Amino acid sequence: MRLHFIWPGKTRNAQLRALFEDYLKRLSHFARCETTELRMTPGGDTRAGIDRESQRISDALSDDDISVLLDPEGKEWSSEELARQVQEWENRGIKSVAFVVGGPDGVSQELLSQVNKRWSLSRLTLTHEMARVLLVEQLYRAYAIIHRLPYVK
């Protein structure tokens, strides 16, 4: 299965980028991983800017993707629930799952209605760069749970 990560902007913090890349490398032992960093939209804090940025995100999604938007209003999953979800996707033969982190001012209603699932990493407020790290770490943890690796202890 392919895991596709989509978001506007680059991870500028060197330590967080290194952590992201470390977990991405670990994760790539279990699934093919691809990251799409879109150009930030000027005026992204306006409705028109959010709509343009959301359209870019939408354009990066494949018709074959199961799309999961990281959303504070989404469903919270435990690590075990995430592992069960990943295993279900694999058992169903899903070829690609796209994880979307929207811009700092959110995403359009159109994109909200387009995604298959909305997942909340936490009720805490996280920086987008930290959310990216947590996303790949939790996916790695899910695969460690599935394969009964000692990482989860």
Side-chain angles (χ1 to χ4, degrees), residues 24-37:
L24 192 66
K25 182 178 176 183
R26 295 181 195 199
L27 188 55
S28 67
H29 294 289
F30 302 106
R32 192 166 46 99
C33 299
E34 179 181 330
T35 303
T36 301
E37 293 179 323

Side-chain angles (χ1 to χ4, degrees), residues 84-96:
R84 283 192 293 276
Q85 180 64 77
V86 168
Q87 196 156 41
E88 178 191 322
W89 288 327
E90 287 188 336
N91 292 343
R92 287 179 34 208
I94 300 298
K95 293 185 180 355
S96 181

Side-chain angles (χ1 to χ4, degrees), residues 93-123:
I94 300 298
K95 293 185 180 355
S96 181
V97 180
F99 293 91
V100 175
V101 179
D105 295 295
V107 298
S108 68
Q109 287 299 315
E110 291 81 8
L111 185 57
L112 278 174
S113 66
Q114 177 185 352
V115 297
N116 300 104
K117 293 196 178 284
R118 292 165 59 187
W119 173 27
S120 174
L121 289 176
S122 172
R123 291 184 354 195

